[in-house]
Amino acid sequence: EYGLGKETKKKACMKCSVTCIQDFPTGKQEGTFLALVFEGNIFRVLVCTLSGGDIYTRYKNYTVPPEVKKGYSHMLFDYLASSLASLIEEQNIGNMELSLGFIVNFPIWQERINKGVLLSWNKGIKVNGVVGKDVVRLLEEAIRKRGDIKVKVVAVMNEETESIMACCWKNPTCRI
């Protein structure tokens, strides 16, 4: 409660911030979607196909090169966009318009479901020009700059929220 209170959260030892969730999954959603899980030194790009109550997932893990971890924002987001494009090409889904969930395992202030401002780096990542910026906008700029994939970032969230949303798809009563 102290970490969530408007007047007390800045002084709380456990920092909490609002997560913007419009709806919980029902398990009836269908289609092909992307997820990008940025953990720091590694990240994962997933292609998830939801059909008939089942989920089919294909993914690839990537390592963030040392020069990118301590470089500039355009280096990081260009690398993320390039990796997205690579998996899209491998999976032969480049002709589709794809929605992406961006899972960021760093402190972000979420102003709306598709806007998350990075508060700080940790885990050995020190990319210049990202703290205080909207990570969704930076990723979308890198995607747009490429011009070869049709991807829209529809949500940004932390790993805990992503786990709850995934569980809700199979069990719609899952809540914290």
Side-chain angles (χ1 to χ4, degrees), residues 134-153:
D134 176 14
V135 294
V136 171
R137 188 181 58 77
L138 294 171
L139 181 57
E140 285 184 329
E141 284 176 1
I143 291 167
R144 195 171 23 261
K145 186 168 52 171
R146 290 186 60 81
D148 61 344
I149 55 176
K150 297 176 271 186
V151 175
K152 180 176 171 79
V153 183

Side-chain angles (χ1 to χ4, degrees), residues 9 16 24 28 31-32 34 45 63 100 105 107 110 115 121 134 138-139 141 143 145 151 154 157:
K9 67 181 171 186
C16 300
F24 287 95
K28 295 178 182 172
T32 298
L34 296 172
V45 179
T63 301
L100 174 104
N105 290 335
Q110 192 172 6
K115 182 175 182 181
W121 287 119
D134 176 14
L138 294 171
L139 181 57
E141 284 176 1
I143 291 167
K145 186 168 52 171
V151 175
V154 296
M157 64 191 77

Side-chain angles (χ1 to χ4, degrees), residues 21 32 37 53 56 84 100 115 118 126 136 156 170 172 176:
I21 297 177
T32 298
V37 183
Y56 306 96
L84 271 171
L100 174 104
K115 182 175 182 181
L118 183 74
K126 295 180 181 170
V136 171
V156 62
K170 279 291 191 187
I176 267 191

Side-chain angles (χ1 to χ4, degrees), residues 99-167:
S99 296
L100 174 104
F102 190 15
I103 295 90
V104 180
N105 290 335
F106 295 93
I108 59 171
W109 181 256
Q110 192 172 6
E111 295 183 13
R112 58 183 181 267
I113 194 157
N114 63 345
K115 182 175 182 181
V117 175
L118 183 74
L119 299 176
S120 64
W121 287 119
N122 54 34
K123 305 176 190 178
I125 305 294
K126 295 180 181 170
V127 177
N128 293 299
V130 184
V131 172
K133 303 276 174 53
D134 176 14
V135 294
V136 171
R137 188 181 58 77
L138 294 171
L139 181 57
E140 285 184 329
E141 284 176 1
I143 291 167
R144 195 171 23 261
K145 186 168 52 171
R146 290 186 60 81
D148 61 344
I149 55 176
K150 297 176 271 186
V151 175
K152 180 176 171 79
V153 183
V154 296
V156 62
M157 64 191 77
N158 61 30
E159 188 176 32
E160 293 77 17
T161 303
E162 176 259 338
S163 295
I164 292 168
M165 298 303 279
C167 288

Side-chain angles (χ1 to χ4, degrees), residues 18-153:
V18 174
T19 298
C20 301
I21 297 177
Q22 293 171 311
D23 295 302
F24 287 95
T26 62
K28 295 178 182 172
Q29 291 80 8
E30 297 211 351
T32 298
F33 306 92
L34 296 172
L36 194 156
V37 183
F38 181 51
E39 297 177 351
N41 294 316
I42 63 164
F43 65 95
R44 227 172 359 273
V45 179
L46 299 92
V47 177
C48 303
T49 302
L50 309 176
S51 177
D54 291 321
I55 185 167
Y56 306 96
T57 306
R58 287 109 41 219
Y59 69 93
K60 191 167 184 178
N61 292 321
Y62 298 86
T63 301
V64 180
E67 64 274 11
V68 172
K69 289 192 284 191
K70 301 208 186 315
Y72 296 92
S73 63
H74 69 90
M75 296 167 67
L76 172 63
F77 289 94
D78 287 351
Y79 186 67
L80 295 174
S82 173
S83 301
L84 271 171
S86 174
L87 189 63
I88 287 169
E89 183 180 329
E90 281 178 27
Q91 295 297 316
N92 198 27
I93 55 173
N95 60 332
M96 301 173 69
E97 290 189 24
L98 298 160
S99 296
L100 174 104
F102 190 15
I103 295 90
V104 180
N105 290 335
F106 295 93
I108 59 171
W109 181 256
Q110 192 172 6
E111 295 183 13
R112 58 183 181 267
I113 194 157
N114 63 345
K115 182 175 182 181
V117 175
L118 183 74
L119 299 176
S120 64
W121 287 119
N122 54 34
K123 305 176 190 178
I125 305 294
K126 295 180 181 170
V127 177
N128 293 299
V130 184
V131 172
K133 303 276 174 53
D134 176 14
V135 294
V136 171
R137 188 181 58 77
L138 294 171
L139 181 57
E140 285 184 329
E141 284 176 1
I143 291 167
R144 195 171 23 261
K145 186 168 52 171
R146 290 186 60 81
D148 61 344
I149 55 176
K150 297 176 271 186
V151 175
K152 180 176 171 79
V153 183

